[in-house]
Amino acid sequence: MTYKGYFIQLFLRVLLLLAALISIAYGVVKSNTYALWGGALVSIIILYNLYRFLIRRFEEMDDFFESVKYRDFSRWFSEKHGPQDIRTLHKGFNNVNKTIKAINNERQAQFVYLQKILEMVDVGIVAYNLDSGEVLWANESLITTLDLPSFKNISFVEKRRPQLYEELFDTYRTGVTSVDLSLRNENLKVLISDTVFQVEEDAFKLVVLQNIEDTLNQNESDSWKKLLSVMTHEIMNSIAPISSLAETLQHHIQASQKNPESHPLDLDDLNAGISSIQKRSEGLMKFAKTYRSLSKVTHLNLETIKVADLFKNISDLMKPTLADKQILLQFKTESPEMSLEIDSYLIEQVLINLILNAIDACVSAEHARVLITASQNTQGRVQLKVIDNGTGIPEEIKDSIFIPFFSTKKTGSGVGLSLSKQIMTLHKGKIQIKSEPNTGTEIRLLF
């Protein structure tokens, strides 16, 4: 029987009650004792039956809602006993319980899955109640990094490590911040970010902490190894011929001093040798100055400048260079009002360097063309592009072009692109390269 049958039963009972009431009314009007008492007796029986009929169903629903109130979804309501409408009601209750249990199991599985992920990541995470300080979640990475035992409330950290407490829990940050933490007389470099979120009426704070000390040390070590390797190679290349030539000249001078007649000193050869040493020494000095230029750029003098004005300045500077070359240099802006907050001197240096590289790549190309554009990407950020139709960059050296002193040119210092990348990093931007051999290169500056 469905709920439709339940309402039919209820309707029939109401009809019988009305009939009994009519009988009572008839007995009163006609002074018929049998009709009066018979109607009254039937009315009492029907009212009692109706009360039991309704109250039992309300009791069943009240029992179910009580279970819901205390989140007890394990109860099973009998579907084989009692009236048919009660069985149908029980079946509905059981379906609700099964659905909620399935949802809870799914949420529990997701929670366990998330818990395992958070335990595996090498990032410290802690979430706690802002009012009570009770810790909602703290993973093992946080405990290990901060060298703390497991704690249930942040007041534990406040008592044991007040300085750490202030950095982690008492300071609010608008973004990711690099912080030096003092842990057991050691300084630890970490990145900290936090956010506050609301769950019903409770406010929670989530703090994320990443240990970057090892990463920085490893990167610094790798960078020094690469730099020392390149510098050693370049310096040895310059010193070896200087040493060899100086040794030869010294041998000639000593031989001439011992026996001037058989080993006369040729002043022209001596002058030529000294001149070669001088040139090699100047080359070594130039190399040292070039290296110094890499570490010279440390801060920015920011100003807001229209991209059109920036392009005009560069165009005026490049005209003499292109005077005797069959290369078309074009500048295009998406909007004449587009502007950038940059160190214009440094960005000009970057663009000139990229344009000169593009010109070198286009020397042997037909209809050689270098295009510099300014536009906004899908995130609304300004991007500058230097596009050429030159020889492109071979795949095998793409990963090396930003390494200091790496160059494919005979007269190149290998510093231009390294310096350009450093300047873009100072601007909190990126430099990206897309190149196809024998097709051309596109270098993108993202601000």
Side-chain angles (χ1 to χ4, degrees):
M1 184 184 292
T2 61
Y3 292 112
K4 183 179 178 182
Y6 165 78
F7 284 111
I8 290 172
Q9 283 194 38
L10 181 63
F11 181 67
L12 289 174
R13 283 175 169 78
V14 172
L15 282 179
L16 287 172
L17 180 62
L18 286 173
L21 292 174
I22 290 170
S23 175
I24 292 171
Y26 176 79
V28 171
V29 173
K30 299 295 185 179
S31 300
N32 188 326
T33 306
Y34 294 105
L36 177 64
W37 288 105
L41 181 62
V42 171
S43 295
I44 291 169
I45 293 169
I46 293 172
L47 279 171
Y48 177 76
N49 185 270
L50 182 62
Y51 170 78
R52 291 297 303 161
F53 180 81
L54 292 173
I55 203 68
R56 183 174 179 186
R57 282 140 188 85
F58 281 120
E59 283 175 350
E60 293 291 340
M61 287 189 285
D62 188 56
D63 195 19
F64 173 71
F65 290 134
E66 189 76 10
S67 299
V68 172
K69 178 181 177 181
Y70 292 103
R71 301 189 178 187
D72 178 15
F73 303 108
S74 60
R75 182 172 175 184
W76 181 260
F77 294 87
S78 176
E79 298 177 11
K80 296 181 179 179
H81 302 92
Q84 188 62 40
D85 62 302
I86 295 291
R87 296 183 198 177
T88 305
L89 194 63
H90 284 177
K91 188 176 180 181
F93 292 163
N94 291 333
N95 285 336
V96 171
N97 280 348
K98 280 194 289 186
T99 302
I100 292 175
K101 279 198 288 186
I103 292 171
N104 284 344
N105 289 339
E106 186 179 342
R107 287 177 62 188
Q108 184 67 23
Q110 289 176 346
F111 177 74
V112 171
Y113 180 64
L114 178 62
Q115 200 173 28
K116 293 298 180 185
I117 290 175
L118 293 178
E119 287 295 350
M120 290 173 66
V121 296
D122 193 24
V123 175
I125 301 169
V126 59
Y128 64 94
N129 189 301
L130 276 174
D131 293 326
S132 65
E134 185 181 350
V135 174
L136 182 69
W137 170 260
N139 68 347
E140 191 62 32
S141 180
L142 180 95
I143 302 298
T144 305
T145 302
L146 300 180
D147 192 21
L148 288 169
S150 295
F151 56 96
K152 299 295 183 183
N153 198 293
I154 61 171
S155 58
F156 173 85
V157 182
E158 186 178 15
K159 292 174 184 175
R160 295 285 187 92
R161 310 261 191 89
Q163 217 171 4
L164 178 62
Y165 175 86
E166 185 180 350
E167 287 288 0
L168 276 185
F169 307 119
D170 210 29
T171 303
Y172 289 84
R173 296 172 175 84
T174 55
V176 179
T177 309
S178 175
V179 178
D180 287 316
L181 296 180
S182 181
L183 302 174
R184 301 195 185 281
N185 299 322
E186 290 184 7
N187 284 332
L188 184 69
K189 192 84 169 177
V190 297
L191 292 178
I192 300 178
S193 60
D194 56 55
T195 184
V196 175
F197 61 96
Q198 197 85 13
V199 178
E200 296 178 351
E201 295 180 357
D202 293 324
F204 295 88
K205 184 178 179 183
L206 177 70
V207 180
V208 178
L209 176 145
Q210 184 175 9
N211 181 1
I212 58 172
E213 187 77 26
D214 294 338
T215 305
L216 287 174
N217 290 341
Q218 185 61 44
N219 289 344
E220 186 178 351
S221 176
D222 291 344
S223 298
W224 272 110
K225 285 176 184 176
K226 287 179 182 177
L227 182 59
L228 288 172
S229 175
V230 172
M231 288 186 69
T232 302
H233 177 73
E234 293 292 329
I235 291 170
M236 287 302 294
N237 283 347
S238 294
I239 289 178
I242 292 174
S243 177
S244 177
L245 185 55
E247 187 180 350
T248 302
L249 291 176
Q250 186 182 30
H251 178 72
H252 286 323
I253 292 170
Q254 287 175 349
S256 177
Q257 285 175 341
K258 289 179 181 179
N259 195 345
E261 293 180 1
S262 59
H263 294 90
L265 187 63
D266 190 330
L267 292 179
D268 289 336
D269 286 346
L270 183 61
N271 187 52
I274 292 172
S275 180
S276 295
I277 290 174
Q278 182 185 6
K279 287 179 181 177
R280 286 285 183 178
S281 300
E282 286 173 355
L284 191 57
M285 287 293 293
K286 185 178 178 182
F287 171 79
K289 287 177 182 177
T290 302
Y291 164 71
R292 189 171 61 185
S293 70
L294 275 174
S295 58
K296 190 171 67 175
V297 181
T298 56
H299 68 280
L300 302 175
N301 296 314
L302 294 175
E303 60 177 328
T304 301
I305 184 171
K306 286 187 177 180
V307 175
D309 295 337
L310 176 69
F311 281 1
K312 186 178 184 307
N313 292 341
I314 296 170
S315 178
D316 293 340
L317 286 168
M318 296 306 299
K319 276 180 183 177
T321 305
L322 293 170
D324 57 345
K325 291 184 173 69
Q326 298 298 315
I327 297 174
L328 178 63
L329 181 65
Q330 290 182 304
F331 293 86
K332 288 185 180 179
T333 55
E334 197 175 69
S335 165
E337 299 302 317
M338 185 179 291
S339 61
L340 281 168
E341 188 181 10
I342 55 173
D343 186 317
S344 58
Y345 170 77
L346 293 178
I347 295 301
E348 278 183 13
Q349 187 175 342
V350 171
L351 287 170
I352 290 169
N353 180 60
L354 296 179
I355 293 169
L356 288 173
N357 286 348
I359 290 170
D360 289 341
C362 290
V363 168
S364 58
E366 264 189 70
H367 309 296
R369 179 184 181 220
V370 177
L371 174 65
I372 298 91
T373 67
S375 60
Q376 283 188 325
N377 61 12
T378 52
Q379 285 80 37
R381 297 179 180 177
V382 176
Q383 58 182 8
L384 306 182
K385 294 181 184 177
V386 178
I387 306 165
D388 67 66
N389 60 347
T391 54
I393 301 171
E395 192 67 34
E396 60 270 17
I397 67 168
K398 272 187 182 178
D399 294 334
S400 304
I401 59 176
F402 289 112
I403 295 176
F405 314 117
F406 177 86
S407 178
T408 57
K409 303 175 188 177
K410 290 181 180 179
T411 58
S413 65
V415 168
L417 285 175
S418 299
L419 191 58
S420 298
K421 187 172 183 179
Q422 184 180 347
I423 290 170
M424 287 304 297
T425 301
L426 283 172
H427 281 81
K428 297 182 181 178
K430 295 179 182 177
I431 180 167
Q432 298 175 342
I433 293 184
K434 181 181 177 183
S435 185
E436 292 290 335
N438 303 316
T439 301
T441 300
E442 176 185 300
I443 299 185
R444 187 178 303 173
L445 304 179
L446 294 170
F447 292 90

